[in-house]
mmCIF file of all heavy atoms in Angstrom:
data_model
loop_
_atom_site.group_PDB
_atom_site.id
_atom_site.type_symbol
_atom_site.label_atom_id
_atom_site.label_comp_id
_atom_site.label_asym_id
_atom_site.label_seq_id
_atom_site.Cartn_x
_atom_site.Cartn_y
_atom_site.Cartn_z
ATOM 1 N N PHE A 55 -28.460 46.339 -75.154
ATOM 2 C CA PHE A 55 -29.257 45.746 -76.259
ATOM 3 C C PHE A 55 -29.557 44.294 -75.996
ATOM 4 O O PHE A 55 -28.878 43.622 -75.261
ATOM 5 C CB PHE A 55 -28.410 45.828 -77.533
ATOM 6 C CG PHE A 55 -27.942 47.200 -77.972
ATOM 7 C CD1 PHE A 55 -26.708 47.437 -78.520
ATOM 8 C CD2 PHE A 55 -28.846 48.215 -77.883
ATOM 9 C CE1 PHE A 55 -26.253 48.701 -78.834
ATOM 10 C CE2 PHE A 55 -28.442 49.571 -78.163
ATOM 11 C CZ PHE A 55 -27.108 49.722 -78.703
ATOM 12 N N TRP A 56 -30.685 43.915 -76.607
ATOM 13 C CA TRP A 56 -31.282 42.592 -76.299
ATOM 14 C C TRP A 56 -30.323 41.501 -76.650
ATOM 15 O O TRP A 56 -30.388 40.607 -75.882
ATOM 16 C CB TRP A 56 -32.559 42.640 -77.140
ATOM 17 C CG TRP A 56 -33.252 41.319 -77.133
ATOM 18 C CD1 TRP A 56 -33.397 40.422 -78.135
ATOM 19 C CD2 TRP A 56 -33.910 40.883 -75.928
ATOM 20 N NE1 TRP A 56 -34.174 39.314 -77.577
ATOM 21 C CE2 TRP A 56 -34.464 39.558 -76.405
ATOM 22 C CE3 TRP A 56 -34.035 41.205 -74.592
ATOM 23 C CZ2 TRP A 56 -35.168 38.759 -75.433
ATOM 24 C CZ3 TRP A 56 -34.745 40.451 -73.815
ATOM 25 C CH2 TRP A 56 -35.308 39.217 -74.150
ATOM 26 N N PHE A 57 -29.434 41.650 -77.707
ATOM 27 C CA PHE A 57 -28.743 40.492 -77.967
ATOM 28 C C PHE A 57 -27.468 40.264 -77.005
ATOM 29 O O PHE A 57 -26.813 39.224 -77.198
ATOM 30 C CB PHE A 57 -28.307 40.475 -79.447
ATOM 31 C CG PHE A 57 -27.436 41.753 -79.900
ATOM 32 C CD1 PHE A 57 -26.194 41.614 -79.750
ATOM 33 C CD2 PHE A 57 -28.127 42.735 -80.340
ATOM 34 C CE1 PHE A 57 -25.408 42.832 -79.998
ATOM 35 C CE2 PHE A 57 -27.434 43.892 -80.787
ATOM 36 C CZ PHE A 57 -26.038 43.879 -80.605
ATOM 37 N N ASN A 93 -37.555 44.984 -71.460
ATOM 38 C CA ASN A 93 -37.240 45.063 -72.916
ATOM 39 C C ASN A 93 -38.596 44.571 -73.574
ATOM 40 O O ASN A 93 -39.230 43.604 -73.124
ATOM 41 C CB ASN A 93 -36.028 44.222 -73.350
ATOM 42 C CG ASN A 93 -35.607 44.662 -74.788
ATOM 43 O OD1 ASN A 93 -36.391 44.690 -75.686
ATOM 44 N ND2 ASN A 93 -34.311 44.835 -74.944
ATOM 45 N N HIS A 94 -39.025 45.365 -74.693
ATOM 46 C CA HIS A 94 -40.184 44.808 -75.358
ATOM 47 C C HIS A 94 -40.095 43.505 -75.921
ATOM 48 O O HIS A 94 -41.121 42.831 -76.127
ATOM 49 C CB HIS A 94 -40.403 45.949 -76.553
ATOM 50 C CG HIS A 94 -40.259 47.245 -76.138
ATOM 51 N ND1 HIS A 94 -40.892 47.875 -75.062
ATOM 52 C CD2 HIS A 94 -39.442 48.316 -76.666
ATOM 53 C CE1 HIS A 94 -40.645 49.192 -74.958
ATOM 54 N NE2 HIS A 94 -39.654 49.565 -75.930
ATOM 55 N N ARG A 95 -38.893 42.959 -76.176
ATOM 56 C CA ARG A 95 -38.774 41.765 -76.837
ATOM 57 C C ARG A 95 -38.765 40.642 -75.748
ATOM 58 O O ARG A 95 -38.688 39.452 -76.156
ATOM 59 C CB ARG A 95 -37.441 41.658 -77.611
ATOM 60 C CG ARG A 95 -37.351 42.607 -78.708
ATOM 61 C CD ARG A 95 -36.020 42.835 -79.297
ATOM 62 N NE ARG A 95 -36.030 43.711 -80.320
ATOM 63 C CZ ARG A 95 -35.911 45.060 -80.147
ATOM 64 N NH1 ARG A 95 -35.837 45.585 -78.991
ATOM 65 N NH2 ARG A 95 -35.921 45.900 -81.253
ATOM 66 N N ASN A 96 -38.724 40.852 -74.440
ATOM 67 C CA ASN A 96 -38.690 39.847 -73.365
ATOM 68 C C ASN A 96 -40.139 39.190 -73.298
ATOM 69 O O ASN A 96 -40.951 39.735 -72.923
ATOM 70 C CB ASN A 96 -38.362 40.503 -72.056
ATOM 71 C CG ASN A 96 -37.815 39.503 -71.129
ATOM 72 O OD1 ASN A 96 -37.962 38.330 -71.317
ATOM 73 N ND2 ASN A 96 -37.241 39.878 -70.064
ATOM 74 N N PRO A 97 -40.040 37.866 -73.643
ATOM 75 C CA PRO A 97 -41.411 37.194 -73.565
ATOM 76 C C PRO A 97 -41.872 36.930 -72.078
ATOM 77 O O PRO A 97 -43.014 36.735 -71.960
ATOM 78 C CB PRO A 97 -41.196 35.882 -74.294
ATOM 79 C CG PRO A 97 -39.813 35.806 -74.668
ATOM 80 C CD PRO A 97 -39.013 37.064 -74.198
ATOM 81 N N PRO A 99 -41.590 39.217 -69.166
ATOM 82 C CA PRO A 99 -41.211 40.504 -68.618
ATOM 83 C C PRO A 99 -40.852 40.496 -67.188
ATOM 84 O O PRO A 99 -41.390 39.627 -66.405
ATOM 85 C CB PRO A 99 -42.458 41.448 -68.773
ATOM 86 C CG PRO A 99 -43.287 40.714 -69.958
ATOM 87 C CD PRO A 99 -42.975 39.314 -69.634
ATOM 88 N N PRO A 237 -28.397 28.798 -75.477
ATOM 89 C CA PRO A 237 -29.639 29.566 -75.905
ATOM 90 C C PRO A 237 -30.785 29.079 -75.298
ATOM 91 O O PRO A 237 -30.954 27.924 -75.132
ATOM 92 C CB PRO A 237 -29.596 29.509 -77.468
ATOM 93 C CG PRO A 237 -28.905 28.085 -77.806
ATOM 94 C CD PRO A 237 -28.049 27.707 -76.572
ATOM 95 N N LEU A 239 -34.665 28.851 -76.324
ATOM 96 C CA LEU A 239 -35.427 28.941 -77.567
ATOM 97 C C LEU A 239 -36.698 29.753 -77.433
ATOM 98 O O LEU A 239 -37.105 30.384 -78.356
ATOM 99 C CB LEU A 239 -35.726 27.607 -78.196
ATOM 100 C CG LEU A 239 -34.422 26.850 -78.546
ATOM 101 C CD1 LEU A 239 -34.896 25.533 -79.132
ATOM 102 C CD2 LEU A 239 -33.742 27.587 -79.706
ATOM 103 N N ALA A 240 -37.117 29.789 -76.188
ATOM 104 C CA ALA A 240 -38.421 30.550 -75.884
ATOM 105 C C ALA A 240 -38.128 32.014 -75.890
ATOM 106 O O ALA A 240 -38.864 32.793 -76.337
ATOM 107 C CB ALA A 240 -39.089 30.055 -74.630
ATOM 108 N N ILE A 241 -36.874 32.374 -75.387
ATOM 109 C CA ILE A 241 -36.556 33.757 -75.147
ATOM 110 C C ILE A 241 -35.824 34.163 -76.435
ATOM 111 O O ILE A 241 -35.946 35.355 -76.819
ATOM 112 C CB ILE A 241 -35.701 34.130 -73.968
ATOM 113 C CG1 ILE A 241 -36.509 33.566 -72.754
ATOM 114 C CG2 ILE A 241 -35.324 35.473 -73.755
ATOM 115 C CD1 ILE A 241 -35.786 33.783 -71.443
ATOM 116 N N GLY A 242 -35.136 33.330 -77.051
ATOM 117 C CA GLY A 242 -34.468 33.676 -78.398
ATOM 118 C C GLY A 242 -33.205 34.201 -78.337
ATOM 119 O O GLY A 242 -32.626 34.731 -79.232
ATOM 120 N N HIS A 244 -28.993 33.921 -76.169
ATOM 121 C CA HIS A 244 -28.102 33.080 -75.369
ATOM 122 C C HIS A 244 -28.200 33.700 -73.924
ATOM 123 O O HIS A 244 -28.271 34.879 -73.663
ATOM 124 C CB HIS A 244 -26.652 33.282 -75.730
ATOM 125 C CG HIS A 244 -26.290 32.517 -76.986
ATOM 126 N ND1 HIS A 244 -26.239 31.168 -76.916
ATOM 127 C CD2 HIS A 244 -26.036 32.827 -78.196
ATOM 128 C CE1 HIS A 244 -25.991 30.720 -78.192
ATOM 129 N NE2 HIS A 244 -25.833 31.704 -79.009
ATOM 130 N N ALA B 54 -27.553 41.447 -84.287
ATOM 131 C CA ALA B 54 -28.868 41.467 -83.596
ATOM 132 C C ALA B 54 -29.588 40.285 -83.990
ATOM 133 O O ALA B 54 -30.418 39.850 -83.226
ATOM 134 C CB ALA B 54 -29.604 42.743 -83.735
ATOM 135 N N MET B 59 -32.031 30.730 -83.307
ATOM 136 C CA MET B 59 -32.575 30.105 -82.112
ATOM 137 C C MET B 59 -33.849 30.713 -81.554
ATOM 138 O O MET B 59 -33.812 31.468 -80.752
ATOM 139 C CB MET B 59 -31.386 30.036 -81.110
ATOM 140 C CG MET B 59 -30.951 31.523 -80.946
ATOM 141 S SD MET B 59 -29.562 31.547 -79.816
ATOM 142 C CE MET B 59 -29.305 33.296 -79.944
ATOM 143 N N VAL B 60 -34.880 30.355 -82.254
ATOM 144 C CA VAL B 60 -36.211 30.693 -81.745
ATOM 145 C C VAL B 60 -37.043 29.430 -81.789
ATOM 146 O O VAL B 60 -36.813 28.529 -82.492
ATOM 147 C CB VAL B 60 -36.884 31.873 -82.472
ATOM 148 C CG1 VAL B 60 -36.369 33.166 -82.102
ATOM 149 C CG2 VAL B 60 -36.853 31.492 -84.008
ATOM 150 N N GLU B 61 -38.005 29.409 -80.931
ATOM 151 C CA GLU B 61 -38.802 28.135 -80.884
ATOM 152 C C GLU B 61 -40.247 28.594 -81.675
ATOM 153 O O GLU B 61 -40.828 29.492 -81.116
ATOM 154 C CB GLU B 61 -39.190 27.816 -79.482
ATOM 155 C CG GLU B 61 -39.495 26.431 -79.319
ATOM 156 C CD GLU B 61 -39.817 26.227 -77.789
ATOM 157 O OE1 GLU B 61 -39.342 26.986 -77.061
ATOM 158 O OE2 GLU B 61 -40.425 25.152 -77.507
ATOM 159 N N ARG B 137 -45.857 46.504 -76.015
ATOM 160 C CA ARG B 137 -45.346 47.511 -75.000
ATOM 161 C C ARG B 137 -44.387 48.466 -75.688
ATOM 162 O O ARG B 137 -43.963 49.289 -74.950
ATOM 163 C CB ARG B 137 -44.388 46.613 -74.025
ATOM 164 C CG ARG B 137 -45.223 45.624 -73.055
ATOM 165 C CD ARG B 137 -44.335 44.693 -72.280
ATOM 166 N NE ARG B 137 -43.909 43.732 -73.112
ATOM 167 C CZ ARG B 137 -42.739 43.038 -72.866
ATOM 168 N NH1 ARG B 137 -41.936 43.414 -71.879
ATOM 169 N NH2 ARG B 137 -42.364 42.037 -73.532
ATOM 170 N N ALA B 138 -44.265 48.385 -76.938
ATOM 171 C CA ALA B 138 -43.291 49.310 -77.458
ATOM 172 C C ALA B 138 -43.833 50.654 -78.081
ATOM 173 O O ALA B 138 -45.089 50.603 -78.261
ATOM 174 C CB ALA B 138 -42.621 48.716 -78.713
ATOM 175 N N PRO B 139 -43.156 51.582 -78.183
ATOM 176 C CA PRO B 139 -43.652 52.911 -78.786
ATOM 177 C C PRO B 139 -43.840 52.530 -80.288
ATOM 178 O O PRO B 139 -43.176 51.733 -80.820
ATOM 179 C CB PRO B 139 -42.628 53.885 -78.621
ATOM 180 C CG PRO B 139 -41.414 53.137 -78.346
ATOM 181 C CD PRO B 139 -41.815 51.888 -77.728
ATOM 182 N N ILE B 174 -46.536 38.509 -76.755
ATOM 183 C CA ILE B 174 -46.168 39.818 -76.141
ATOM 184 C C ILE B 174 -44.821 40.272 -76.443
ATOM 185 O O ILE B 174 -44.308 41.361 -75.908
ATOM 186 C CB ILE B 174 -46.343 39.718 -74.579
ATOM 187 C CG1 ILE B 174 -45.295 38.633 -74.067
ATOM 188 C CG2 ILE B 174 -47.693 39.303 -74.232
ATOM 189 C CD1 ILE B 174 -45.097 38.786 -72.545
ATOM 190 N N TYR B 175 -44.070 39.517 -77.302
ATOM 191 C CA TYR B 175 -42.708 39.996 -77.398
ATOM 192 C C TYR B 175 -42.395 40.779 -78.640
ATOM 193 O O TYR B 175 -41.416 40.979 -79.077
ATOM 194 C CB TYR B 175 -41.815 38.677 -77.429
ATOM 195 C CG TYR B 175 -42.229 37.569 -78.499
ATOM 196 C CD1 TYR B 175 -42.325 37.679 -79.716
ATOM 197 C CD2 TYR B 175 -42.723 36.322 -77.773
ATOM 198 C CE1 TYR B 175 -42.780 36.740 -80.610
ATOM 199 C CE2 TYR B 175 -43.238 35.370 -78.682
ATOM 200 C CZ TYR B 175 -43.109 35.495 -80.046
ATOM 201 O OH TYR B 175 -43.672 34.570 -80.794
ATOM 202 N N ALA B 177 -41.675 43.918 -80.606
ATOM 203 C CA ALA B 177 -41.174 45.234 -80.311
ATOM 204 C C ALA B 177 -41.484 46.215 -81.435
ATOM 205 O O ALA B 177 -41.164 47.427 -81.332
ATOM 206 C CB ALA B 177 -39.656 45.168 -80.050
ATOM 207 N N ARG B 344 -39.649 36.811 -85.869
ATOM 208 C CA ARG B 344 -39.218 36.907 -84.645
ATOM 209 C C ARG B 344 -37.765 37.535 -84.669
ATOM 210 O O ARG B 344 -37.367 38.324 -83.853
ATOM 211 C CB ARG B 344 -39.199 35.682 -83.858
ATOM 212 C CG ARG B 344 -40.338 35.538 -82.945
ATOM 213 C CD ARG B 344 -40.151 34.445 -81.886
ATOM 214 N NE ARG B 344 -39.585 35.038 -80.675
ATOM 215 C CZ ARG B 344 -39.518 34.327 -79.571
ATOM 216 N NH1 ARG B 344 -39.770 33.133 -79.581
ATOM 217 N NH2 ARG B 344 -38.997 35.038 -78.568
ATOM 218 N N LYS B 345 -36.955 37.038 -85.612
ATOM 219 C CA LYS B 345 -35.603 37.600 -85.859
ATOM 220 C C LYS B 345 -35.585 38.985 -86.335
ATOM 221 O O LYS B 345 -34.766 39.750 -85.820
ATOM 222 C CB LYS B 345 -34.908 36.559 -86.723
ATOM 223 C CG LYS B 345 -34.377 35.397 -86.092
ATOM 224 C CD LYS B 345 -33.213 35.610 -85.231
ATOM 225 C CE LYS B 345 -33.210 34.637 -84.065
ATOM 226 N NZ LYS B 345 -32.244 35.099 -82.979
ATOM 227 N N ASN B 347 -37.802 41.002 -85.536
ATOM 228 C CA ASN B 347 -38.167 41.813 -84.364
ATOM 229 C C ASN B 347 -36.977 42.228 -83.446
ATOM 230 O O ASN B 347 -37.029 43.261 -82.931
ATOM 231 C CB ASN B 347 -39.180 40.886 -83.623
ATOM 232 C CG ASN B 347 -39.713 41.555 -82.372
ATOM 233 O OD1 ASN B 347 -40.151 42.780 -82.449
ATOM 234 N ND2 ASN B 347 -39.778 40.920 -81.308
ATOM 235 N N ASN B 348 -35.994 41.413 -83.578
ATOM 236 C CA ASN B 348 -34.815 41.602 -82.704
ATOM 237 C C ASN B 348 -33.988 42.840 -83.182
ATOM 238 O O ASN B 348 -33.014 43.234 -82.573
ATOM 239 C CB ASN B 348 -33.938 40.452 -82.624
ATOM 240 C CG ASN B 348 -34.424 39.464 -81.588
ATOM 241 O OD1 ASN B 348 -35.462 39.746 -80.910
ATOM 242 N ND2 ASN B 348 -33.919 38.252 -81.420
ATOM 243 N N LEU B 349 -34.189 43.223 -84.477
ATOM 244 C CA LEU B 349 -33.458 44.258 -85.013
ATOM 245 C C LEU B 349 -33.468 45.518 -84.348
ATOM 246 O O LEU B 349 -34.491 45.935 -83.904
ATOM 247 C CB LEU B 349 -33.859 44.466 -86.527
ATOM 248 C CG LEU B 349 -33.432 43.547 -87.652
ATOM 249 C CD1 LEU B 349 -34.092 43.919 -88.940
ATOM 250 C CD2 LEU B 349 -31.979 43.557 -87.767
ATOM 251 N N LEU B 350 -32.357 46.191 -84.150
ATOM 252 C CA LEU B 350 -32.334 47.538 -83.643
ATOM 253 C C LEU B 350 -32.217 48.618 -84.662
ATOM 254 O O LEU B 350 -32.591 49.693 -84.398
ATOM 255 C CB LEU B 350 -31.116 47.600 -82.598
ATOM 256 C CG LEU B 350 -31.311 46.667 -81.501
ATOM 257 C CD1 LEU B 350 -29.923 46.248 -80.892
ATOM 258 C CD2 LEU B 350 -32.126 47.327 -80.402
#
Side-chain angles (χ1 to χ4, degrees):
Chain A
F55 304 137
W56 176 246
F57 56 90
N93 197 308
H94 312 308
R95 297 167 182 81
N96 196 346
L239 297 178
I241 302 183
H244 284 289
Chain B
M59 49 184 176
V60 283
E61 202 179 343
R137 292 174 281 151
I174 61 166
Y175 46 67
R344 262 200 94 172
K345 279 289 148 191
N347 182 40
N348 280 354
L349 280 177
L350 293 153

